[in-house]
């Protein structure tokens, strides 16, 4: 059992409890990919597995799970709502590298500076954020250009102990996902054309940023080559533009 497997299992169980989950198609050849890295006795298999679901309000619920031994574990888990809801994105980036753990957990807002939006989708999360903050202190530097995509309840931390990941981070992950599912349950479709246009713009802004700046691009390219990596990023991980183009 690797570090982030319980996160993935608990997330899928929680989603199944609350939503009418349907599969989301994963492009052929991208469900599972493996490569051997390192030399001699340092050889290690790096296995990347993908998971995709959808529901009536959620366009794509997807996870990428990278398992490459004790010093390489990643779970990147993102929920993209349908474009006729003003729901935030659920974003979790759980990363273990030789340098340590890096945890990013947030409900990423469509409209960061809109006070009514904050009241609706950030205020209710702040008590959860504040409960975990003492155990999961601010992780320091992160790209300034990423700032507009995070809420004031952004949990960003670099725990030095794996046990902290297994306890506090695990609980925080479940609490954020549960709170997200409460938002989903309450969400009503948007019909106002101006609001719909704003949502689409905000979704595209987020998506383009994530596809362009994907911090895993270098890692995936080293393991699996650039052709596989670009197709994985644009055809599965961040696929909204492709889906709009063929709609
Ligand atoms: N990040 C992804 C996907 C990954 C992934 C799809 C499947 O978006 C992994 C894999 N994230 C991943 C890896 C690293 C990070 C780092 C492997 C380490 C990269 C390295 O050090 O080589 C949040 N993730 C990060 C960082 C941040 C995030 C801020 C540090 C990057 C840096 O310092 O440059 N989540 C990430 C992010 C957004 C988000 C940038 C932007 C909106 O939601």
């Amino acid at each position: 059992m690797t570090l982030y497997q319980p996160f993935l299992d608990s997330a899928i169980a929680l989603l199944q409890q609350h939503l009418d989950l349907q599969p989301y198609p994963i492009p052929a050849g991208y469900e599972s990919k493996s490569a051997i890295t390192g030399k001699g006795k340092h050889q290690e298999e790096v296995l990347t597995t993908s998971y995709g679901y959808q529901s009536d309000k959620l366009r794509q619920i997807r996870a990428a799970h990278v398992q490459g031994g004790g010093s390489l574990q990643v779970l990147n888990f993102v929920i993209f709502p349908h474009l006729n809801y003003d729901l935030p994105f659920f974003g979790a980036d759980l990363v273990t590298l030789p340098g340590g753990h890096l945890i990013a957990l947030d409900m990423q807002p469509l409209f960061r500076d809109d006070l009514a939006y904050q009241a609706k989708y950030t205020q209710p999360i702040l008590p959860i954020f504040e409960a975990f903050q003492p155990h999961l202190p601010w992780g320091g530097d992160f790209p300034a250009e990423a700032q507009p995509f995070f809420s004031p309840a952004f949990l960003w931390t670099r725990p030095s102990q794996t046990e902290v990941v297994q306890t506090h981070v695990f609980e925080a992950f479940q609490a954020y996902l549960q709170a997200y599912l409460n938002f989903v349950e309450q969400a009503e479709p948007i019909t106002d054309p101006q609001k719909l246009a704003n949502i689409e713009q905000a979704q595209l802004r987020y998506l383009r940023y994530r596809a362009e700046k994907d911090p895993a691009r270098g890692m995936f390219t080293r393991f699996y080559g650039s052709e596989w990596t670009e197709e994985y990023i644009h055809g599965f991980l961040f696929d909204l533009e492709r889906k709009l183009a063929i709609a």
Side-chain angles (χ1 to χ4, degrees):
M1 173 77 77
T2 54
L3 185 56
Y4 298 117
Q5 188 69 48
F7 290 70
L8 185 58
D9 293 343
S10 78
I12 293 171
L14 202 57
L15 292 166
Q16 269 163 350
Q17 258 173 48
H18 289 265
L19 304 172
D20 179 18
L21 270 196
Q22 302 296 322
Y24 186 93
I26 301 171
Y30 293 82
E31 307 93 338
S32 174
K33 179 78 175 169
S34 119
I36 305 291
T37 62
K39 290 199 168 71
K41 67 175 167 43
H42 300 291
Q43 278 202 345
E44 189 87 64
E45 183 192 23
V46 183
L47 175 66
T48 298
T49 47
S50 303
Y51 302 80
Y53 303 95
Q54 58 190 317
S55 77
D56 55 344
K57 299 180 185 176
L58 302 173
R59 187 187 70 79
Q60 187 198 31
I61 302 164
R62 97 310 176 261
H65 189 199
V66 182
Q67 299 171 88
S71 55
L72 176 60
Q73 294 291 325
V74 177
L75 180 65
N76 182 268
F77 182 89
V78 182
I79 300 178
F80 300 91
H82 274 293
L83 301 189
N84 61 332
Y85 289 91
D86 69 356
L87 287 162
F89 307 96
F90 179 85
D93 205 9
L94 313 171
V95 180
T96 299
L97 297 173
H101 308 291
L102 175 161
I103 303 294
L105 185 58
D106 198 15
M107 309 219 188
Q108 303 187 276
L110 290 171
F111 310 107
R112 172 69 158 84
D113 299 321
D114 179 328
L115 292 179
Y117 193 87
Q118 280 190 16
K120 189 173 179 184
Y121 288 128
T122 298
Q123 297 287 356
I125 307 306
L126 286 178
I128 307 174
F129 171 75
E130 280 154 14
F132 287 103
Q133 182 72 358
H135 306 288
L136 302 172
W138 181 246
D141 281 356
F142 79 100
E145 55 182 354
Q147 198 124 9
F149 301 107
F150 291 105
S151 84
F154 178 32
L155 265 180
W156 167 242
T157 189
R158 300 173 191 264
S160 50
Q161 294 172 292
T162 300
E163 201 199 330
V164 170
V165 177
Q166 292 164 320
T167 56
H168 298 301
V169 173
F170 187 52
E171 276 178 47
F173 176 78
Q174 291 176 302
Y176 272 58
L177 186 57
Q178 178 62 64
Y180 187 80
L181 291 169
N182 295 342
F183 287 147
V184 173
E185 190 167 63
Q186 287 158 32
E188 299 283 349
I190 305 289
T191 53
D192 177 71
Q194 186 57 55
K195 285 187 182 152
L196 288 170
N198 293 342
I199 290 169
E200 180 172 326
Q201 279 316 303
Q203 284 238 7
L204 284 170
R205 206 182 321 128
Y206 176 82
L207 186 102
R208 287 179 182 137
Y209 179 82
R210 299 248 3 214
E212 187 183 327
K213 301 291 161 129
D214 189 343
R217 177 176 266 110
M219 173 185 89
F220 281 139
T221 302
R222 258 183 293 121
F223 299 149
Y224 309 129
S226 74
E227 197 181 322
W228 187 91
T229 298
E230 294 309 316
E231 189 53 30
Y232 192 48
I233 290 172
H234 295 284
F236 179 62
L237 291 176
F238 304 107
D239 71 354
L240 178 63
E241 284 195 290
R242 291 260 187 101
K243 298 287 168 175
L244 287 178
I246 60 173

